[in-house]
Amino acid sequence: MHGSSTKAVIGALAVIVGCGVAAAQDAPPPPAVSVSPVASRQVTETGDFIGRVVAINRVDVVARVAGFIEERNFTEGQMVKTGDLLFRIEQDTYKTAVDQQEANLAKAKATEVNANLQLQRAQALVKNQNVPQATVDQLAATEQAAQADVLQAQALLEQAKINLGYTEIRSPIDGRIGLANFTVGNLVDSTSGRLAVIVSQDPIYVTFQASEADIIAYRKRVANSADKDPHVTVHIRLPDGTEYAHPGLTNFLDVQVQTDTDTVTVRAQMPNPDGVLIPGGIVGVIVERGKPRFTLMVPQSGVLLDQAGHYVMVVNDAKQVELRRITTGSEHGKDIEVPSGLKEGELVIVDGIQKVRPGQVVAASAVPEN
């Protein structure tokens, strides 16, 4: 009986050991999760608004004298510089007017010379009483009238030259010129209206509406700042969702609140060297509300919420999962600020959270960066 008992115990142990080996061989591998390290990044508090692009300068090109258009010296939509010739109106009539006024001026000057000589002779003769004083007075008046005629002829000549100059219509500003409303051969004058429009491109304005609360907060920040700088940095989000490469600065705050919207118009000046911002367009406006600061950030995909608040799952040095309670701050794209609860470099699970529980060993791999 004793031998049989010993054999039974040995047999039972063999079965137990065998089952243990089989269980170890059949145990599932640790669940795979993707992790992202807690990173310290520089952020700036911002406010989002909707803005409109406005040209700083906009000029309607008009005719100031009447005549047929002889030349159009631009391509619609091209950039023009100050002084570039845009249109030329027929000049023959105006050149003739200049020639006529030059002749009138020469005649008036000759008349003045003659009147002056006659006056000088009479003044010499009146001393010997060969000419009455009344004659001298009359000649003096004639000489003064001749001088006035010279001045009048000079003025008329200047006006004729000005009118001739108006036949060449030049760009008063740098900018982009639009469609031509009149083609070569059309008769135009000062009542014809706009021949074309030119809008400046660089720099350019962006205007947006801010609430009274935003303005009050802005003024408090300026008052509490060391440099009291009233200008605020502005960034632009283009209609395709991308951020415009060149930041700008606010340079105007309206003096009154618009009663229909209870908002205040704010204007920023933006560089526009490549003409990306088009006058009249709608853009997103991102206004910096403070100085840059460093804060810890984690992907929003790794932050969970229950009745106790926000938390994340962290993989520790032993590859075990820990539940960590955190506080959250502002969102920045796909990331969110974590003021407390985590340390820089800790690994937060961002993919596979549903497969794990606290204390479980996992196989962690870094999430690919975009």
Side-chain angles (χ1 to χ4, degrees), residues 25 55 119 129 162 256 260:
Q25 291 176 346
L119 176 60
Q129 297 183 352
I162 290 173
Q256 61 183 354
D260 55 341

Side-chain angles (χ1 to χ4, degrees), residues 326-346:
I326 62 171
T327 59
T328 60
S330 301
E331 298 178 0
H332 301 271
K334 296 181 179 180
D335 297 332
I336 188 170
E337 294 183 28
V338 182
S340 63
L342 293 171
K343 296 180 180 180
E344 184 175 2
E346 289 189 303

Side-chain angles (χ1 to χ4, degrees), residues 119-148:
L119 176 60
Q120 290 178 10
R121 291 192 192 99
Q123 287 174 339
L125 293 172
V126 76
K127 295 178 181 178
N128 298 325
Q129 297 183 352
N130 292 328
V131 174
Q133 182 63 43
T135 300
V136 174
D137 294 341
Q138 180 62 43
L139 292 173
T142 301
E143 196 265 348
Q144 291 178 356
Q147 290 179 352

Side-chain angles (χ1 to χ4, degrees), residues 266-317:
V266 184
R267 187 181 71 192
Q269 181 169 309
M270 312 293 300
N272 193 30
D274 302 318
V276 174
L277 300 179
I278 302 174
I282 301 296
V283 294
V285 180
I286 305 168
V287 179
E288 293 186 2
R289 287 179 166 168
K291 299 295 183 182
R293 58 183 175 81
F294 283 93
T295 185
L296 296 181
M297 306 274 283
V298 297
Q300 294 190 52
S301 58
V303 179
L304 304 175
L305 179 65
D306 60 14
Q307 293 181 344
H310 290 92
Y311 67 95
V312 294
M313 292 295 191
V314 177
V315 177
N316 60 22
D317 294 339

